[in-house]
Each structure stands twice: as structure tokens, then as C-alpha cells.
Amino acid sequence: MKTRNEIRDHRPAFLSRSVRRGRPGVLPGALALAAAAVLMGVPATAAPASAADLCPTDTLCLYVGGIGTPEPLQIRQCQSRTFDPPFRTRKVENNTGVIARISTAGGETVTVQPGAAVNFAPDLRVVSAGTSC
């Protein structure tokens, strides 16, 4: 039969003291902690805002092109804005209750119906944009 010292020599150092005292040891506690962390899951990160969330009600939004969803240029209902030099926009979203009018650098006028969004390719060069009441 093996002596107590011989048994202790074959055990990892972090288990030997707890085994002598009759305690379960570090390993089961570590496994329980790891299982709890897995069951709780990783905290959720904030999701990026969708394009629909970036244009509030009663607002005309001009979106620029680029990576991700950049903040749009917002123009409140019943207001207009002129741009010098022209503002490059890839998308216009009319979240107002009236028709929006967009004037381009080429002299054209684009109308966007209430609640509609229009995508442009290539980017539209906007000289003025707004809604009338």
C-alpha cells in the first residue's frame, strides 16, 4: 500500500492541500465558474443604428456615401437650405408630410414624395433642398 506522501507526490500542487482537508478543490470551482459564465452569455454590444432610425419625423434627410451608415444632414419640415459648393448626396429620405424639392448643380429639380426615399448613383450634387408649407 502506498503511503500518504507517495499519494501526495502524484497530485498537482494546487489539489494536494484541498484533498488533505477533505475539500473538493479548485478545479470543480473553476469549472462551475466557467459554466456560469457560458450560461450567462457575453453582454450584448450596441447595434449600429439603421438608416430608418437616423431620420426623425418631419425631417428631410440627405445621406452621403461612405462606409457604414453616416449621420444624415437633416432639414426640418417647412425649411430649405442652399449649398455652395454643392452637397454630394447618395440618398434622400423625405420623412415629412409634404413634397420635398431638390435642386441639382445641373439645373434639374428632383421631387421626393412624403415618406419616400430615393437612392442616387452616381452621387447627386445638391445646390438646394427643402420643403414648402
Side-chain angles (χ1 to χ4, degrees):
M1 183 162 211
K2 292 184 179 181
T3 66
R4 198 170 173 172
N5 287 338
E6 289 174 359
I7 294 172
R8 188 174 41 192
D9 291 338
H10 296 304
R11 295 189 191 276
F14 66 90
L15 287 178
S16 59
R17 183 184 301 165
S18 61
V19 171
R20 281 195 321 256
R21 293 182 181 170
R23 294 183 187 156
V26 175
L27 188 58
L31 290 175
L33 192 61
V38 168
L39 291 176
M40 288 176 37
V42 178
T45 58
S50 68
D53 296 335
L54 296 176
C55 191
T57 306
D58 296 331
T59 307
L60 174 67
C61 296
L62 306 177
Y63 293 87
V64 297
I67 298 172
T69 310
E71 290 285 325
L73 175 71
Q74 298 178 359
I75 303 170
R76 298 292 301 162
Q77 184 171 321
C78 301
Q79 296 179 355
S80 62
R81 185 163 175 188
T82 58
F83 304 98
D84 186 27
F87 182 80
R88 289 188 167 284
T89 186
R90 179 150 302 166
K91 177 182 175 183
V92 175
E93 184 176 359
N94 185 1
N95 205 5
T96 68
V98 295
I99 295 174
R101 287 180 176 69
I102 314 293
S103 298
T104 67
E108 300 171 353
T109 300
V110 177
T111 58
V112 181
Q113 295 298 317
V118 180
N119 292 312
F120 300 100
D123 292 352
L124 190 68
R125 295 176 59 221
V126 177
V127 176
S128 67
T131 59
S132 58
C133 290

